[in-house]
Amino acid sequence: MSNVVVVGTQWGDEGKGKVVDWLSERADVVVRFQGGHNAGHTLVIDGITYKLSSLPSGIVRGGKLSIIGNGVVLDPWAMLKEIETLRDQGVTVNPDCLQVAENAALILPVHVNLDQAREKAAGKDKIGTTGRGIGPAYEDKVGRRAVRAGDLAEPALLKTRIEKMLIHHNALLRGMGMKEFDGNTLISQLCEIAPKILPYVNSVWKTLDEARAGGRRILFEGAQGALLDVDHGTYPFVTSSNTVAGQAATGSGQGPGAVEFVLGITKAYTTRVGEGPFPSELFDDVGRHIGERGHEFGTVTGRSRRCGWFDAVLVRQTCTINGTHGIALTKLDVLDGMKELKVGIAYDLDGERIDHLPACSFKQARVKPIYETLEGWSESTEGARTWADLPATAIKYIRRIEELIETPVALLSTSPERDDTILVHDPFAD
């Protein structure tokens, strides 16, 4: 039995929520290991839609332990609001099924305020963040100013942490001509919420070690996508954390051996939210058609996603960086009815053909995709549950993607419903 990490191989929004939910039935523990509540997952279970952003997808499945690891930055108010929403939908959420790492850094109102202020000040040069404080919270973490979940149990420590944090933040706010934050107000807010958060706080590295020793299956759930990784993504138009598979161990307090199978979630076309390069982006009716048919709107922000053809160069690159063993190909049905499809197979950079996306942002902006045209299909793939249900040209499209990205398809999703899935290789079976 393997422990599995699920990561996005594009810019996020690949359909990880459904796949993680599908896999969580086979798992005992589901772990979030990076990111914040800027990354949303939508689950559709028995006709009920659940929208998650802070909590692991396993929380909607009874009998599973959900863990928010130390690599996550957590907005405690957002978490409590999400818990109440789930409870209203009939989901049980308590410390028996949810644990928060005591060393997870918290997102505070001062982070949200700074995030929004900087994006506004940047104007046309904005990064395109969700404005939820994730970046500033990670900055405080690496700057050794953060308030961590376990600190909520120590009011005296909170005072010291907040004072040190505000020396930094209030200087920035003054520089932007904005009102400074009052430390006493922030401390009061934290002391008020502490009794509601602390029951969930635990040494999750120890919990996970015991789970592994007991032979329990662990599913590590990534947020966003590899192209938003702070090191390996389209920098600076990235998130503030490592979104690749290697972070699963670091962000949960486990050794590298804890990750045994890497499943890359891959959309059958390409989308991105926010600013930054997007070589295969479409600005025509085809792009609009894909967006409308695929309901491409952000779970958290509601923003329309930019849409384009499948970019095999990018996915091959992210599969390599993640050490991906297999991909879960999603939203194939969105391409139903299209006469022809294009796939990016290489780039042209100033007249030179290259097989990867350069790290330099200037070069990223100049690359032009080189396409291969494939035949489309008129039949529906929606709801298919076996290869026999798929049109021959759809299978050819899948096989060509496998060749180009040099990674096999382990799972194929054909609708938002969890059972509309074709299993090629069970990641937990190794």
Side-chain angles (χ1 to χ4, degrees):
M1 294 186 295
S2 297
N3 294 326
V4 178
V5 58
V6 171
V7 294
T9 62
Q10 295 154 309
W11 279 290
D13 309 310
E14 299 97 347
K16 290 184 292 296
K18 174 210 167 159
V19 176
V20 169
D21 174 62
W22 191 87
L23 289 169
S24 69
E25 187 176 39
R26 295 159 173 77
D28 303 301
V29 184
V30 182
V31 186
R32 275 284 308 274
F33 59 86
Q34 53 76 219
H37 64 308
N38 55 337
H41 289 170
T42 300
L43 311 180
V44 181
I45 303 172
D46 296 329
I48 301 175
T49 299
Y50 302 95
K51 293 184 180 293
L52 305 176
S53 52
S54 299
L55 303 178
S57 296
I59 198 70
V60 299
R61 293 285 171 188
K64 312 293 179 185
L65 175 60
S66 292
I67 287 180
I68 296 175
N70 56 275
V72 173
V73 285
L74 179 68
D75 183 324
W77 293 275
M79 186 187 88
L80 290 178
K81 183 177 179 181
E82 194 170 323
I83 287 173
E84 288 306 313
T85 298
L86 289 178
R87 285 174 176 165
D88 289 343
Q89 292 182 286
V91 178
T92 298
V93 184
N94 57 43
D96 292 330
C97 62
L98 175 65
Q99 291 186 17
V100 175
E102 61 185 350
N103 51 342
L106 299 183
I107 301 172
L108 306 180
V110 66
H111 296 130
V112 178
N113 188 65
L114 180 60
D115 196 0
Q116 295 176 357
R118 289 198 302 207
E119 280 288 271
K120 183 178 180 181
K124 66 181 181 62
D125 295 321
K126 65 182 179 179
I127 298 297
T129 77
T130 59
R132 292 171 183 251
I134 281 76
Y138 273 116
E139 290 173 33
D140 278 349
K141 176 180 177 177
V142 299
R144 293 164 290 190
R145 298 181 291 268
V147 173
R148 306 201 294 182
D151 297 342
L152 294 175
E154 301 291 341
L157 179 58
L158 282 180
K159 185 174 185 297
T160 301
R161 290 266 198 262
I162 294 300
E163 287 175 351
K164 184 176 181 180
M165 180 186 294
L166 289 186
I167 290 174
H168 174 79
H169 281 272
N170 282 338
L172 292 174
L173 292 172
R174 282 195 302 272
M176 291 187 288
M178 298 188 64
K179 183 180 178 180
E180 296 181 25
F181 250 85
D182 177 62
N184 291 328
T185 299
L186 197 49
I187 292 169
S188 296
Q189 291 174 327
L190 287 170
C191 288
E192 179 183 356
I193 202 171
K196 302 175 184 177
I197 296 295
L198 284 170
Y200 297 99
V201 176
N202 212 319
S203 301
V204 303
W205 64 268
K206 190 172 185 296
T207 300
L208 287 170
D209 184 62
E210 292 169 351
R212 289 179 63 201
R216 304 181 73 189
R217 292 175 170 180
I218 303 173
L219 180 63
F220 297 92
E221 175 186 4
Q224 298 145 320
L227 291 169
L228 293 174
D229 184 276
V230 69
D231 288 312
H232 302 289
T234 49
Y235 189 91
F237 300 99
V238 294
T239 193
S240 299
S241 64
N242 287 113
T243 60
V244 293
Q247 177 64 16
T250 304
S252 60
Q254 301 297 288
V259 177
E260 296 162 311
F261 190 97
V262 179
L263 181 67
I265 314 302
T266 307
K267 196 178 286 186
Y269 48 98
T270 311
T271 64
R272 126 163 256 179
V273 171
E275 310 301 318
F278 184 169
S280 66
E281 183 172 9
L282 294 168
F283 300 95
D284 55 11
D285 289 341
V286 174
R288 284 187 288 273
H289 169 78
I290 291 174
E292 291 169 4
R293 184 173 173 82
H295 306 290
E296 295 297 349
F297 302 95
T299 299
V300 171
T301 63
R303 290 185 292 183
S304 296
R305 297 174 184 142
R306 300 155 63 189
C307 297
W309 295 119
F310 186 85
D311 190 330
V313 180
L314 290 180
V315 177
R316 182 174 61 248
Q317 185 166 327
T318 57
C319 282
T320 300
I321 291 168
N322 280 289
T324 306
H325 296 94
I327 66 165
L329 191 64
T330 66
K331 289 201 165 185
L332 183 71
D333 56 296
V334 173
L335 302 179
D336 291 354
M338 300 183 71
K339 291 184 178 180
E340 65 176 28
L341 305 168
K342 293 184 179 181
V343 175
I345 60 171
Y347 294 138
D348 178 288
L349 176 59
D350 303 332
E352 178 187 0
R353 183 179 175 124
I354 60 174
D355 63 357
H356 67 284
L357 185 70
C360 174
S361 60
F362 277 21
K363 291 181 179 178
Q364 289 175 358
R366 296 203 305 272
V367 298
K368 298 177 181 179
I370 298 172
Y371 289 117
E372 177 179 302
T373 302
L374 301 174
E375 183 183 357
W377 54 89
S378 58
E379 306 95 323
S380 174
T381 63
E382 184 174 1
R385 298 185 181 182
T386 68
W387 286 106
D389 296 332
L390 295 175
T393 46
I395 294 175
K396 288 181 181 178
Y397 181 75
I398 296 167
R399 295 306 185 204
R400 184 57 178 146
I401 284 176
E402 288 181 313
E403 292 173 357
L404 290 168
I405 67 173
E406 300 173 359
T407 307
V409 170
L411 185 150
L412 182 68
S413 171
T414 58
S415 93
E417 292 293 336
R418 68 186 303 275
D419 291 330
D420 291 341
T421 304
I422 300 173
L423 179 64
V424 181
H425 176 82
D426 186 348
F428 281 120
D430 286 358

